[in-house]
Amino acid sequence: MMRGMYAATQALAVVLLVVVGAGCREEKQAEPLKSLKPEPLPSLAVPGEAAPEAPRPASPSEVEVAGPIHGEPLPAPALRVALAGERVRVGEETFEPARPDDAERLAQRVKGHTVLVVPDADTFLVQTSELFTVLRDSAESVWLAHPDGPVAYPVVLRDEAGFRAWLEEVAPGKLRIIMRADGFELTTSVGKLPGPDPNGPSVPVRAGRQDIVTLRRGLGLLKGRFKTSEDICLVPSFGTEVAQAARALGGNFTAPGEPLFDTLCFVYPTPHKASDGG
């Protein structure tokens, strides 16, 4: 009988050891939260991210800053809409889109047409709100001509509300070029592309001019990081000349007819609504 009790005691001890061992076994820990962070963006200031550049002269030439002019061939046939401040010219007709009657006439004139917007040197984006609203709602498609060469850019027009709606879409990247007086800020859903100054724009102005050459290189880095992104938005300061904004669109092209991103979104200011007189 003693032998049986001894065997039972040993068996109970083995069971207790197994239970205690199982309780002490370490559970598999979850991955730390920092491991879920997206990969950092490449930097325009880090050597090796792109082909090395030669030392920059203190006074670079226009070609060194603007680079070659790339884009799509001018659309033909297209209805040309020439900018002249708050007025536009279509053939022999002149319109002032801020006037409701003119806006309605212009809408009928461009309805169903491919439209080529031809900027002058002095029209600012803030003067084009009503024009771009008419073109967005009535034209078949809208192109913006480069002021310095025979190329143009098909654009998707978005006002401020449309731009916010685009940002809220669930999609990777959400790449945009914020065009400011001090340069270009290249911004994504995971932050901005760093430039030489972490507190400044991604692509600062160079010798007082917008640096299209470096913008093109920066967009190439973003394309390598966001391979499935197909669209990008240009968001110019509303005090920017339309011609300058058109030049910036050329940064999306690495060669004639070869865009980095297939769809160019162009953000314009929402037209001011007149207050009711009563």
Side-chain angles (χ1 to χ4, degrees):
M1 179 177 179
M2 293 295 293
R3 183 178 300 172
M5 291 179 62
Y6 177 74
T9 301
Q10 280 189 320
L12 180 60
V14 170
V15 170
L16 287 173
L17 285 174
V18 170
V19 171
V20 171
C24 295
R25 186 181 304 151
E26 290 188 8
E27 295 183 3
K28 185 178 180 181
Q29 295 184 352
E31 292 289 331
L33 289 177
K34 64 180 181 180
S35 68
L36 302 178
K37 291 175 61 178
E39 297 178 25
L41 291 172
S43 173
L44 280 166
V46 176
E49 293 290 352
E53 295 183 290
R56 295 185 170 188
S59 299
S61 68
E62 180 68 25
V63 173
E64 290 172 305
V65 178
I69 297 173
H70 295 321
E72 302 285 358
L74 295 174
L79 193 65
R80 295 171 68 91
V81 175
L83 303 186
E86 295 181 357
R87 293 182 173 85
V88 300
R89 191 175 65 256
V90 182
E92 299 299 321
E93 298 179 86
T94 300
F95 303 86
E96 191 171 337
R99 297 172 180 264
D101 289 347
D102 277 18
E104 187 174 343
R105 286 197 305 119
L106 180 62
Q108 292 300 317
R109 185 73 176 83
V110 302
K111 187 174 183 179
H113 286 279
T114 295
V115 169
L116 177 66
V117 177
V118 182
D120 62 357
D122 303 316
T123 298
F124 294 88
L125 195 63
V126 71
Q127 297 174 288
T128 63
S129 300
E130 291 82 2
L131 166 65
F132 283 132
T133 297
V134 169
L135 297 183
R136 180 199 63 186
D137 295 342
S138 301
E140 177 69 23
S141 62
V142 178
W143 293 62
L144 189 55
H146 195 291
D148 308 317
V151 297
Y153 309 101
V155 291
V156 175
L157 295 173
R158 291 192 173 99
D159 62 8
E160 295 162 87
F163 176 58
R164 287 193 296 270
W166 176 79
L167 286 176
E168 291 170 0
E169 294 173 358
V170 180
K174 288 303 166 187
L175 312 177
R176 55 260 193 207
I177 307 166
I178 311 298
M179 186 177 181
R180 311 187 316 217
D182 60 348
F184 300 105
E185 185 111 321
L186 303 183
T187 305
T188 77
S189 56
V190 295
K192 78 166 189 174
L193 186 74
D197 178 359
N199 298 316
S202 306
V203 184
V205 295
R206 188 174 170 206
R209 289 170 287 182
Q210 297 285 0
D211 190 350
I212 306 300
V213 169
T214 305
L215 172 64
R216 186 171 285 140
R217 186 161 65 88
L219 294 180
L221 292 176
L222 289 182
K223 184 62 178 178
R225 173 68 170 77
F226 298 95
K227 295 181 175 60
T228 60
S229 292
E230 297 181 351
D231 58 350
I232 189 167
C233 273
L234 175 67
V235 191
S237 165
F238 296 158
T240 301
E241 298 93 338
V242 178
Q244 283 290 79
R247 291 184 179 99
L249 293 174
N252 183 52
F253 284 75
T254 58
E258 294 185 14
L260 289 161
F261 300 94
D262 293 334
T263 302
L264 281 170
C265 147
F266 188 83
V267 180
Y268 66 93
T270 302
H272 173 71
K273 290 185 179 179
S275 58
D276 292 336

